[in-house]
Amino acid sequence: MTKLLRALALAVALLFAPSIAFAKSQPADKKASAKKAEKLDLNTASEDELKALPGVGEAYSKKIIEGRPYKAKDELVEKKIVPKATYAKIKDKVVAHQVK
């Protein structure tokens, strides 16, 4: 009887294992899509949004706004708007969509 119950429990666990794995993977997918949505567009972000980025502050946020439009986010370093150290802090938090 005990062996039968263990076998039944194992069968039930195996039956639901894929759905449990799928349920655990969904929050990670939502986090990834949320991170994509959190990125600031350098061409449309407000001064306050730019100030909130790590290491940017008031001086760099004004320089970023004055240097618009950007074709790529690495133009911040190419045009010497922000130092490389600051760019390294924000490069994963910003994007530069072309504005028509």
Side-chain angles (χ1 to χ4, degrees):
M1 184 71 165
T2 305
K3 288 183 181 182
L4 180 64
L5 288 175
R6 285 184 185 167
L8 183 61
L10 179 62
V12 170
L14 291 175
L15 180 67
F16 290 108
S19 63
I20 292 170
F22 178 74
K24 287 183 180 179
S25 70
Q26 280 187 344
D29 295 340
K30 287 181 182 177
K31 288 178 187 176
S33 63
K35 281 190 176 187
K36 288 180 184 175
E38 288 177 10
K39 290 186 178 188
L40 285 178
D41 188 345
L42 293 172
N43 292 320
T44 59
S46 70
E47 187 175 352
D48 291 333
E49 291 173 323
L50 292 169
K51 285 180 191 177
L53 292 170
V56 172
E58 188 170 335
Y60 291 134
S61 65
K62 287 181 180 179
K63 285 184 179 181
I64 291 170
I65 290 172
E66 289 170 2
R68 288 177 178 167
Y70 300 101
K71 294 179 184 174
K73 62 184 176 182
D74 58 347
E75 286 184 45
L76 291 175
V77 176
E78 292 172 4
K79 293 181 177 180
K80 298 183 180 179
I81 294 173
V82 296
K84 288 181 182 180
T86 302
Y87 176 71
K89 291 178 186 177
I90 66 169
K91 70 180 179 182
D92 295 331
K93 296 175 176 35
V94 297
V95 293
H97 294 293
Q98 292 184 6
V99 178
K100 294 181 182 180

